[in-house]
């Protein structure tokens, strides 16, 4: 086997084993970027210059061809592969890998004009004009056929190419189309789900406002007044993208069964249920752009990114995953496009690695000369040399990553705690008129459901714990504590699963807005939390109150509570009126009309316990509660020291032991007391013990020299 074939073989096995055990050793994390040589065909020197620069950077790989359809097929049926052959060959010759993209993320102009049905139609029935991107109709048979043919042709041509490491399927699949094809497909999807109109009408409570459907063809794709229609529409859109993705992979998998496929996720994107997508791809990959907007605060930004990383780890089943896109400096599409402050870029990269990433790719390698993204951050600037601040910064990160080879192919340590994140619950809550909501789009949509999950993740992290983010389908038995913030939609099956978890000794934490509806968004009858959760939590939640901005209710811990909480706290926004039905009180309301009403409760079984937090608590109050858990249940902390707000320790397994990553996400320097714990920074050899000053945005990758008490 030649050197490159051997590397290729190794590389493929590595990817294929992301989700499995018995993984071979690899020495480098994958490090690279989205690269668009198709845009530079008239600049013959650029490819060679880029390869030189990639080697100088320490890059291993690039994602190529993401938006290159017109360069690959300039006219219908006329394929041009010369430029890509050349790129693939040069990459192979230099020992670089290609994550070869299928180009479905944007349609060629000739195709879009000839086949208007491939363009999306909006809710008002207007068809998009050609142009833009990420805007094909996912139901269009023509587009699916065109994509299949293109992918088959790429797989036939490059399937055995030594540079090919991975298929990068499409790009950030998302969005919705309301064309006649999609409408008919939605109606057929509903028919398969409900079988009879009677079933559908009952599940949708269609009697309300005369919405009873008497023919499948009457069902629209959009009606905000039918909340289950909205929920089912999102389920359908998700299924359409998934079936589009499977269609893309079909010919590729047939021709290159040994080359893994991924598609790049977008964090918690509103309309994609990535738990389902994760089951169909070989490697989890994610794009993330935490915005360096100080108005939000560096800690808030970092903890959201941390949550997303933990979710990718959850999707990978604790195996490593790929960070497929991030910005090395600023983006160009934010309301504020600040450059990353010194150390922030490095910190963001190491944060991903600490949470399980073993690939770091940027968007983008080289700034395009024109077009929408010409001012988006890139490793290589328009200036073109390696002299730029960003290039040097990336080269430094590249060398840090090289030193991290020991984490490769190691499972991430399992946390004691898992937080459930469920798209369907989020969709159902957002579709229901009532709960206050803010469904702004973007990588971190600030809706009420996501907000609850993030605040609990933050409190758990600040209490010194790691948490995996999992789906309700995950195996709970791996965890000591399951936190299900605002899990609004609960099926009978899930309620039974929670009961079994607590029966077997688990600690369950539920919160306000738990168990209000069943899987068709119909309210549970017989009192909230519905199904068997009322008995499990030992409470009845009679009413929910939404407060005005600025209103607060004091939270008074019950004397002698088992969590040892004693500081008076604050609740805001949402308060439920809880009645005890067997549970003990951990804290009560201390003001307004709820005085003495239970706010935090515990219902114990012989082995486990179910806690309920019937109010939105401010971060300090929630933290006090989780600190109580850590000591009451002796949960394992990443390091034994107490860390100030915004300082986080994470562990990763290495081939020979473990590494501790220590981050200060604050804009300011902070001092911490590591007490007896002794850590050695593996890059600087600095010894960290006792009182330590952590510079703003600093990151340390450490070996443990001595475990503190
Ligand atoms: C991503 C997209 C890339 C690029 C990037 C800019 O969402 O996948 O192609 O546009 O945003 O930040």
């Amino acid at each position: 086997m030649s050197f490159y074939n051997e590397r290729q073989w190794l590389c493929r096995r590595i990817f294929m084993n992301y989700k499995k055990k018995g993984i071979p050793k690899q020495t480098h994390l994958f490090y690279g970027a989205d690269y668009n040589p198709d845009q530079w065909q008239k600049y013959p020197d650029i490819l060679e210059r880029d390869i030189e620069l990639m080697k100088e950077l320490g890059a291993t790989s690039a994602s190529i061809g993401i938006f290159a359809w017109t360069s690959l097929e300039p006219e219908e049926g006329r394929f041009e592969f010369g430029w890509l052959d050349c790129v693939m060959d040069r990459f192979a010759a230099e020992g670089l890998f290609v994550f070869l993209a299928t180009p479905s993320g944007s349609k060629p102009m000739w195709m879009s004009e000839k086949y208007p049905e491939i363009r999306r139609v909006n809710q008002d029935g207007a068809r998009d004009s050609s142009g833009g991107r990420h805007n094909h109709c996912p139901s269009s048979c023509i587009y699916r056929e065109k994509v299949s043919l293109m992918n088959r042709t790429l797989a036939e041509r490059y399937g055995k190419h030594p540079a090919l490491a991975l298929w990068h399927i499409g790009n950030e699949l998302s969005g919705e189309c309301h064309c006649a094809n999609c409408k008919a497909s939605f109606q057929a999807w509903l028919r398969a789900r409900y079988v009879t109109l009677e079933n559908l009408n009952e599940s949708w409570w269609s009697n309300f406002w005369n919405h009873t459907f008497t023919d499948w063809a009457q069902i629209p794709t959009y009606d905000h007044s039918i909340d289950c229609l909205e929920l089912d529409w999102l389920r359908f859109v998700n299924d359409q993208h998934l079936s589009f993705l499977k269609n893309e992979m079909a010919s590729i998998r047939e021709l290159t069964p040994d080359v893994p496929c991924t598609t790049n996720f977008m964090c918690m994107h509103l309309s994609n249920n990535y738990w389902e997508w994760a089951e169909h791809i070989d490697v989890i990959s994610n794009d993330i752009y935490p915005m360096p907007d100080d108005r939000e605060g560096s800690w808030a930004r970092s903890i959201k990114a941390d949550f997303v990383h933990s979710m990718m780890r959850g999707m990978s089943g604790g195996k490593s995953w790929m960070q497929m896109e991030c910005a090395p400096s600023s983006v160009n599409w934010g309301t504020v496009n600040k450059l990353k402050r010194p150390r922030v870029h490095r910190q963001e990269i190491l944060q991903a690695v600490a949470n399980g990433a073993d690939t770091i790719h940027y968007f983008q390698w080289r700034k395009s000369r024109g077009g929408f993204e010409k001012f988006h951050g890139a490793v290589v600037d328009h200036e073109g040399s390696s002299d730029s601040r960003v290039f040097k910064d990336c080269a430094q990160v590249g060398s840090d990553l090289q030193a991290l080879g020991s984490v490769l192919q190691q499972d991430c340590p399992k946390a004691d705690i898992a937080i459930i994140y469920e798209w369907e619950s989020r969709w159902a809550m957002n579709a229901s008129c009532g709960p206050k909501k803010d469904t702004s789009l973007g990588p971190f949509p600030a809706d009420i459901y996501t907000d609850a999950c993030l605040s609990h993740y933050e409190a758990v992290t600040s209490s010194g714990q790691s948490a995996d983010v999992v789906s309700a389908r995950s195996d709970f038995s791996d965890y000591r504590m399951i936190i299900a913030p605002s899990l609004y939609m609960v099926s009978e099956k899930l309620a039974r699963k929670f009961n079994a978890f607590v029966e077997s000794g688990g600690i369950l934490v539920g919160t306000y807005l738990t168990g209000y509806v069943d899987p068709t968004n119909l309210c549970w009858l017989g009192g909230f939390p519905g199904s068997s959760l009322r008995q499990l939590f030992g409470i009845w939640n009679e009413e929910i109150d939404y407060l005005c901005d600025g209103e607060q209710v004091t939270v008074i811990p019950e004397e002698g509570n088992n969590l040892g909480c004693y500081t008076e706290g604050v609740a805001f926004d949402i308060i439920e009126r809880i009645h005890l039905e067997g549970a003990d009180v951990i804290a009560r309301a201390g003001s307004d009309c709820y005085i003495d009403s239970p706010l935090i409760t515990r219902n114990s079984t012989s082995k486990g316990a179910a806690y309920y937090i019937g109010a939105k608590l401010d971060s300090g109050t929630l933290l006090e509660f989780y600190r109580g858990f850590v000591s009451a249940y002796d949960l394992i902390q990443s390091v034994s020291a107490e860390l100030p707000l915004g300082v986080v320790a994470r562990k990763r397994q290495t081939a020979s032991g473990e590494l501790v990553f220590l981050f200060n996400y604050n804009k300011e320097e902070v001092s911490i007391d590591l007490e007896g714990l002794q850590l050695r920074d593996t890059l600087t050899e600095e010894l960290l013990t006792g009182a330590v000053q952590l510079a703003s945005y600093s990151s340390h990758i450490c070996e443990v020299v001595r475990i503190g008490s």
Side-chain angles (χ1 to χ4, degrees):
M1 213 187 277
S2 77
F3 172 69
Y4 291 119
N5 281 343
E6 200 176 325
R7 280 196 68 196
Q8 178 203 33
W9 172 85
L10 192 59
C11 177
R12 287 182 185 175
R13 283 211 47 205
I14 288 158
F15 280 124
M16 290 310 271
N17 278 304
Y18 262 68
K19 290 179 172 177
K20 298 178 200 152
K21 295 250 173 211
I23 291 157
K25 300 276 185 300
Q26 179 204 358
T27 50
H28 289 339
L29 283 86
F30 286 100
Y31 188 48
D34 280 16
Y35 178 43
N36 304 307
D38 44 303
Q39 292 175 16
W40 296 93
Q41 292 176 68
K42 298 237 161 80
Y43 297 73
D45 302 343
I46 287 280
L47 176 62
E48 288 311 314
R49 181 72 188 119
D50 280 332
I51 287 175
E52 258 171 51
L53 288 168
M54 282 181 198
K55 297 188 90 174
E56 188 176 339
L57 184 88
T60 56
S61 40
S63 305
I64 295 180
I66 297 175
F67 298 109
W69 199 323
T70 307
S71 296
L72 294 168
E73 192 182 1
E75 284 170 37
E76 189 162 22
R78 181 167 71 78
F79 293 92
E80 293 266 351
F81 290 112
W83 67 272
L84 186 53
D85 289 351
C86 174
V87 174
M88 297 289 287
D89 292 349
R90 288 294 298 121
F91 265 58
E94 298 295 337
L96 292 164
F97 290 107
V98 174
F99 302 168
L100 189 55
T102 64
S104 61
S106 71
K107 326 170 285 312
M109 194 59 78
W110 59 257
M111 192 191 295
S112 193
E113 288 295 306
K114 180 166 179 192
Y115 305 106
E117 75 150 63
I118 72 174
R119 290 187 243 140
R120 280 185 194 167
V121 169
N122 69 19
Q123 278 173 352
D124 302 326
R127 194 174 289 284
D128 283 357
S129 51
S130 294
R133 67 164 182 178
H134 297 159
N135 54 4
H136 62 263
C137 165
S139 309
S140 163
C141 294
I142 293 179
Y143 199 56
R144 285 181 182 222
E145 277 164 24
K146 291 281 175 204
V147 166
S148 278
L149 176 64
M150 170 56 76
N151 295 3
R152 177 171 288 282
T153 312
L154 285 170
E156 277 165 358
R157 192 166 187 97
Y158 300 111
K160 294 196 167 39
H161 197 286
L164 177 66
L166 172 80
W167 289 108
H168 180 299
I169 307 292
N171 194 63
E172 297 192 340
L173 288 169
S174 65
E176 46 186 67
C177 172
H178 297 264
C179 72
N181 280 338
C182 283
K183 187 171 174 184
S185 305
F186 180 45
Q187 290 162 350
W189 183 94
L190 290 169
R191 211 172 184 145
R193 187 178 178 92
Y194 293 103
V195 184
T196 66
L197 275 174
E198 195 186 346
N199 266 343
L200 175 132
N201 284 321
E202 204 176 313
S203 303
W204 285 13
W205 208 249
S206 308
N207 251 337
F208 185 84
W209 287 353
N210 292 298
H211 293 149
T212 304
F213 294 101
T214 53
D215 192 323
W216 294 98
Q218 294 161 352
I219 303 174
T221 57
Y222 168 70
D223 183 341
H224 271 316
S225 68
I226 310 178
D227 53 340
C228 194
L229 184 153
E230 213 174 314
L231 170 63
D232 277 339
W233 170 252
L234 284 168
R235 286 176 170 140
F236 162 77
V237 170
N238 180 64
D239 283 3
Q240 282 302 87
H241 286 304
L242 199 46
S243 94
F244 184 87
L245 175 67
K246 287 195 229 162
N247 174 66
E248 280 224 35
M249 293 190 295
S251 50
I252 283 183
R253 286 198 156 143
E254 181 198 322
L255 291 165
T256 60
D258 58 337
V259 184
C261 293
T262 192
T263 192
N264 44 349
F265 293 172
M266 290 178 281
C267 305
M268 298 168 276
H269 189 272
L270 183 64
S271 58
N272 297 346
N273 184 347
Y274 287 135
W275 294 117
E276 292 182 359
W277 299 37
E279 288 170 17
H280 296 277
I281 52 175
D282 302 312
V283 193
I284 301 300
S285 69
N286 187 47
D287 299 349
I288 191 165
Y289 293 90
M291 297 296 288
D293 181 350
D294 283 342
R295 284 178 305 194
E296 190 186 30
S298 52
W299 168 235
R301 171 188 83 217
S302 306
I303 195 70
K304 285 177 185 170
D306 218 71
F307 179 86
V308 170
H309 297 329
S310 292
M311 183 154 68
M312 296 306 135
R313 192 173 64 241
M315 287 180 186
S316 254
K319 306 281 178 216
S320 44
W321 50 276
M322 309 173 79
Q323 180 150 302
M324 195 57 99
E325 283 183 30
C326 57
S329 55
S330 64
V331 297
N332 69 331
W333 44 260
T335 39
V336 177
N337 294 312
K338 279 177 77 162
L339 295 178
K340 290 183 181 171
R341 276 13 195 185
R343 298 183 288 279
V344 168
H345 161 229
R346 175 176 191 262
Q347 184 170 66
E348 287 176 356
I349 301 301
L350 294 179
Q351 181 186 30
V353 175
N355 278 301
D358 67 2
T359 296
I360 300 293
H361 264 210
Y362 298 109
F363 179 86
Q364 51 189 337
W365 170 254
R366 175 183 281 278
K367 282 183 183 169
S368 58
R369 184 145 191 216
F372 190 78
E373 292 181 320
K374 64 178 184 287
F375 294 126
H376 191 290
V379 180
V380 180
D381 185 67
H382 294 127
E383 188 268 345
S385 75
S386 57
D387 294 335
S388 66
R389 180 190 64 82
V390 174
F391 189 96
K392 287 183 191 152
D393 199 23
C394 292
Q396 180 55 52
V397 167
S399 99
D400 292 352
L401 292 181
Q402 284 195 8
L404 274 168
S406 63
V407 301
L408 282 162
Q409 305 314 319
Q410 302 299 317
D411 286 5
C412 303
K414 258 266 171 289
D416 271 352
I417 302 176
I419 296 191
I420 292 178
Y421 187 81
E422 275 299 335
W423 267 269
E424 292 213 348
S425 227
R426 176 185 183 192
W427 295 340
M429 199 192 292
N430 288 350
S432 305
C433 184
K436 270 208 242 174
K437 63 186 173 188
D438 171 8
T439 50
S440 56
L441 295 172
F444 304 121
D447 57 51
I448 207 169
Y449 173 66
T450 304
D451 187 54
C453 295
L454 287 168
S455 63
H456 281 257
Y457 184 85
E458 176 180 341
V460 166
T461 305
S462 299
S463 74
Q465 298 291 306
S466 287
D468 293 339
V469 178
V470 302
S471 94
R473 293 181 204 177
S474 306
D475 184 359
F476 295 169
S477 64
D478 286 344
Y479 297 99
R480 292 185 61 199
M481 179 188 280
I482 298 285
I483 305 170
S486 299
L487 200 62
Y488 174 75
M489 177 194 285
V490 175
S491 65
E492 271 177 33
K493 188 171 163 207
L494 180 56
R496 281 198 300 273
K497 192 169 167 184
F498 283 137
N499 272 283
F501 174 70
V502 174
E503 269 315 308
S504 64
I507 308 152
L508 175 69
V509 178
T511 77
Y512 56 93
L513 282 165
T514 289
Y516 277 47
V517 299
D518 73 5
T520 54
N521 217 0
L522 290 177
C523 291
W524 279 108
L525 301 178
F528 299 153
S531 190
S532 50
L533 294 185
R534 178 169 175 173
Q535 293 73 25
L536 178 62
F537 286 108
I539 54 141
W540 169 37
N541 158 25
E542 185 189 1
E543 280 180 292
I544 186 161
D545 195 9
Y546 303 103
L547 305 185
C548 298
D549 289 348
E551 282 187 302
Q552 293 189 340
V553 169
T554 48
V555 179
I556 314 282
E558 195 82 339
E559 209 151 300
N561 67 77
N562 74 309
L563 298 182
C565 300
Y566 56 85
T567 315
E568 198 174 298
V570 168
F572 65 109
D573 270 5
I574 297 176
I575 312 273
E576 289 175 341
R577 291 176 67 89
I578 306 291
H579 299 275
L580 300 175
E581 294 184 341
D584 309 324
V585 178
I586 305 287
R588 295 178 189 269
S591 58
D592 206 338
C593 57
Y594 328 88
I595 286 193
D596 281 347
S597 172
L599 283 187
I600 305 177
T601 60
R602 174 188 63 158
N603 200 28
S604 305
T605 63
S606 57
K607 289 186 179 162
Y611 288 79
Y612 193 87
I613 308 177
K616 190 165 163 184
L617 305 179
D618 80 348
S619 55
T621 313
L622 204 52
L623 174 56
E624 163 110 352
F625 176 70
Y626 280 108
R627 282 206 173 120
F629 271 124
V630 174
S631 42
Y633 293 100
D634 209 12
L635 300 174
I636 310 159
Q637 287 175 287
S638 305
V639 294
S640 49
E642 193 165 302
L643 302 174
L645 193 70
V647 175
V648 174
R650 293 275 181 250
K651 278 187 180 167
R652 256 198 98 164
Q653 222 51 52
T654 68
S656 55
E658 59 187 20
L659 286 176
V660 172
F661 291 73
L662 192 60
F663 299 105
N664 174 17
Y665 292 118
N666 295 295
K667 198 175 173 185
E668 298 78 28
E669 177 178 277
V670 293
S671 46
I672 60 170
D673 189 358
L674 291 179
E675 298 172 13
L677 175 67
Q678 245 185 38
L679 303 172
R680 178 183 297 110
D681 187 305
T682 54
L683 299 174
T684 63
E685 297 288 313
E686 186 188 353
L687 206 59
L688 308 176
T689 189
V692 173
Q693 291 297 111
L694 294 178
S696 70
Y697 307 130
S698 56
S699 315
H700 294 275
I701 308 163
C702 305
E703 286 160 0
V704 180
V705 181
R706 193 178 63 222
I707 302 170
S709 54

